[in-house]
Amino acid sequence: MPSNAEEEFFECLKKLDCSDVVIHAIPEGSVVFPRVPLMRIEGPLWVAQMLETTFLTLVNYASLVATNAARHRLVSGSSKMLLEFGLRRAQGPDGGISASKYCYLGGFDATSNLEAGRLFNIPVRGTHSHAFVSSYMSLDEIVGRSLVFADKKKVCEDFVGMVQHSLSKLQGIEALRAVFSETNQSELAAFSSYALAFPTEFLALVDTYDVMRSGIPNFCAVAVALHNLGYKPRGIRLDSGDLSYFSIQARKFFCTVENELGVPSFGKMTIIASNDINEDTLDALNKQGHEIDAFGIGTHLVTCYMQPALGCVYKLVEVNSHPRIKISEDVSKVTIPCKKQCYRIYGKEGYALVDLMTGESEAPPKMGERILCRHPFNESKRAYVNPQRVESLYKCYWAGNSGLTQEPLPSLEESRQRCQKQLAAMRPDHMRGLNPTPYKVSVSGKLYDFIHFLWLNEAPVGELL
């Protein structure tokens, strides 16, 4: 610490007491918009000020990565499984844990991060690595070759031999012969070894050597052998190349195997794609057409590559019951003064129309009662709204000694479900990735008048010389 840091300062920090602090916040998992305060912190000035960095650290990245996850979900569609694969690219282990948690909140289905899975009960998914495949040289390296049948009643003493027999049968099929004729045997050894270790979770990474001529044929051989023992293989992962083409061809091969060998549901094998996938990739694949069932997304997801930082700020709006305002030549930096309530107003079709801020003492908007909504700073932007439903956005999550009812913190699963419901309640044109319709954030007529009164009152009057 600097030599001029006074010891009394640290003693004061030891006695920091938040019992007089009250915190209202918009529930985690909510869709929010610029200008609407995410949290409202009340308490002794110096105590509330000491909380600034903590709150911004907790809110900024979490909100950013959850938003990024939700955007990927919107582009991919609800039917595709999304897997967060970002730990190796995240900003350190703490960032990786936060990314896994809030990507799940934002709509992802699972993570490759085992610790996040343990901490937050997030489903864990993953595959083996390319290094695992290339570490094998031949089938002779596999020592333990026996595998118990899925029903536990019998034992196959030579599973590797069964795999080789399955490959021979596949190579004998006319529609597959040209492609399946010669595969990499070290890759076949790796797949066989992996299946022996994880017969109920067999999902192979098929692009170590050649997707079409080795990876997929070798997977099919091992998968058919597993099926003969009563197991249900999971599928493949594509990590390079033309993902659209490879997925379509893989699906054709799987369907051929199902039809020619009579293997039920083989044509429905899961196909996972990875390899630096982002929103644009997902959109392009949708336009091209593909047979991918799930996407593993890492770098562009957890680093929020398109927008790597979120600019949430922490501003004083009232002190000792006196409203305060920060003025700037840049209108976007002018704060909205005083202690406020915030409401979301819904229209006839069930979609959210506008978020409305009012002074705390103002009566809340009522269903069916027309109200005037005004842009905080542009006097010409105003509209009447007839609410069909009104949602109060703030809940008290820390009551201190105030006597207010304190809401329990939602679980991660509850926040995740809230996120999905909130996104569904937004008009599609507000959510589109290209040229979205701006969502309206307004203030009441009374608050509008007060903002501009205080602005004029606090702004110095210039003098022309």
Side-chain angles (χ1 to χ4, degrees):
M1 294 298 294
S3 59
N4 62 348
E6 299 173 354
E7 193 64 32
E8 290 79 5
F9 173 69
F10 301 103
E11 292 299 321
C12 189
L13 289 180
K14 289 180 183 179
K15 300 174 183 177
L16 187 68
D17 182 5
C18 291
S19 60
D20 290 326
V21 173
V22 177
I23 300 173
H24 288 80
I26 299 175
E28 194 168 59
S30 301
V31 174
V32 293
F33 297 94
R35 286 285 180 191
V36 177
L38 306 185
M39 304 173 69
R40 191 181 79 199
I41 296 93
E42 304 166 57
L45 180 59
W46 85 275
V47 177
Q49 193 62 64
M50 291 300 295
L51 298 172
E52 175 177 4
T53 299
T54 299
F55 284 144
L56 288 176
T57 299
L58 291 172
V59 169
N60 266 320
Y61 180 67
S63 301
L64 183 67
V65 76
T67 301
N68 201 25
R71 287 173 62 97
H72 281 79
R73 168 56 72 193
L74 288 170
V75 177
S76 69
S78 59
S79 64
K80 304 302 179 184
M81 178 174 281
L82 295 182
L83 312 174
E84 179 267 310
F85 281 0
L87 181 58
R88 300 178 187 183
R89 301 291 188 268
Q91 290 90 340
D94 292 339
I97 292 292
S98 294
S100 298
K101 177 181 179 180
Y102 288 102
C103 285
Y104 183 67
L105 185 154
F108 272 58
D109 298 291
T111 179
S112 63
N113 186 338
L114 291 174
E115 179 66 355
R118 183 186 70 83
L119 288 172
F120 308 119
N121 200 31
I122 302 172
V124 175
R125 298 288 185 273
T127 61
H128 57 73
S129 64
H130 292 108
F132 174 81
V133 176
S134 59
S135 69
Y136 282 81
M137 301 293 289
S138 73
L139 290 163
D140 296 334
E141 296 176 43
I142 304 176
V143 179
R145 298 185 171 214
S146 65
L147 181 61
V148 66
F149 279 66
D151 61 8
K152 310 296 183 185
K153 294 180 179 179
K154 294 187 293 182
V155 176
C156 171
E157 297 296 341
D158 187 9
F159 177 71
V160 176
M162 181 179 283
V163 169
Q164 291 175 304
H165 177 67
S166 296
L167 182 58
S168 296
K169 288 179 67 176
L170 291 168
Q171 290 170 336
I173 297 173
E174 179 66 30
L176 301 177
R177 186 176 298 135
V179 180
F180 283 35
S181 60
E182 186 175 349
T183 69
N184 186 297
Q185 292 298 291
S186 64
E187 182 181 57
L188 184 64
F191 288 179
S192 300
S193 181
Y194 192 72
L196 283 164
F198 303 103
T200 62
E201 300 289 337
F202 180 61
L203 195 152
L205 179 59
V206 296
D207 70 330
T208 302
Y209 299 113
D210 188 303
V211 173
M212 299 289 291
R213 297 185 175 277
S214 183
I216 293 175
N218 282 334
F219 165 80
C220 289
V222 176
V224 169
L226 283 172
H227 177 267
N228 291 336
L229 300 184
Y231 294 101
K232 187 176 180 180
R234 292 299 184 94
I236 63 171
R237 176 160 75 98
L238 303 167
D239 192 47
S240 61
D242 188 332
L243 300 178
S244 172
Y245 173 74
F246 283 154
S247 69
I248 291 171
Q249 293 303 117
R251 185 69 69 202
K252 289 179 180 178
F253 291 152
F254 295 158
C255 290
T256 299
V257 172
E258 178 177 346
N259 295 330
E260 294 290 336
L261 299 184
V263 184
S265 300
F266 205 92
K268 298 178 182 178
M269 204 72 70
T270 298
I271 300 174
I272 300 175
S274 48
N275 187 30
D276 275 343
I277 289 173
N278 56 30
E279 290 180 63
D280 292 338
T281 309
L282 295 172
D283 185 52
L285 285 168
N286 288 339
K287 291 174 180 175
Q288 293 169 22
H290 64 84
E291 287 291 331
I292 299 165
D293 302 295
F295 294 94
I297 308 177
T299 303
H300 290 273
L301 177 66
V302 303
T303 64
C304 302
Y305 203 82
M306 292 181 66
Q307 183 184 327
L310 184 64
C312 289
V313 294
Y314 189 88
K315 296 298 181 184
L316 179 71
V317 295
E318 187 170 302
V319 61
N320 295 329
S321 299
H322 296 291
R324 309 306 300 148
I325 187 171
K326 179 193 178 299
I327 299 172
S328 172
E329 292 183 0
D330 182 353
V331 175
S332 67
K333 293 183 177 293
V334 177
T335 60
I336 298 176
C338 80
K339 186 176 174 180
K340 295 176 286 294
Q341 290 289 350
C342 298
Y343 304 92
R344 182 156 294 165
I345 297 173
Y346 294 83
K348 292 181 180 179
E349 296 181 352
Y351 293 123
L353 291 179
V354 61
D355 282 4
L356 177 69
M357 287 178 277
T358 70
E360 196 209 13
S361 61
E362 291 186 60
K366 297 178 181 178
M367 187 175 68
E369 188 175 290
R370 195 173 75 150
I371 54 172
L372 177 64
C373 297
R374 303 201 63 170
H375 187 284
F377 305 112
N378 189 327
E379 63 181 8
S380 66
K381 291 186 177 181
R382 53 187 179 170
Y384 283 106
V385 177
N386 193 342
Q388 300 304 300
R389 181 164 73 90
V390 177
E391 177 187 6
S392 179
L393 296 184
Y394 288 145
K395 295 183 183 297
C396 179
Y397 287 108
W398 180 263
N401 293 327
S402 68
L404 296 174
T405 300
Q406 184 170 305
E407 295 280 339
L409 291 174
S411 67
L412 177 58
E413 195 61 42
E414 288 171 337
S415 296
R416 185 173 189 267
Q417 291 173 8
R418 180 178 180 82
C419 179
Q420 302 312 308
K421 290 179 181 178
Q422 289 261 306
L423 288 170
M426 301 307 301
R427 228 169 55 203
D429 58 308
H430 291 311
M431 296 290 102
R432 64 191 178 206
L434 182 63
N435 298 324
T437 303
Y439 181 79
K440 293 178 175 60
V441 173
S442 300
V443 297
S444 64
K446 186 175 180 180
L447 182 55
Y448 174 87
D449 291 338
F450 182 74
I451 292 169
H452 292 267
F453 164 78
L454 190 62
W455 190 345
L456 291 175
N457 194 56
E458 295 292 342
V461 180
E463 183 175 343
L464 299 177
L465 299 177

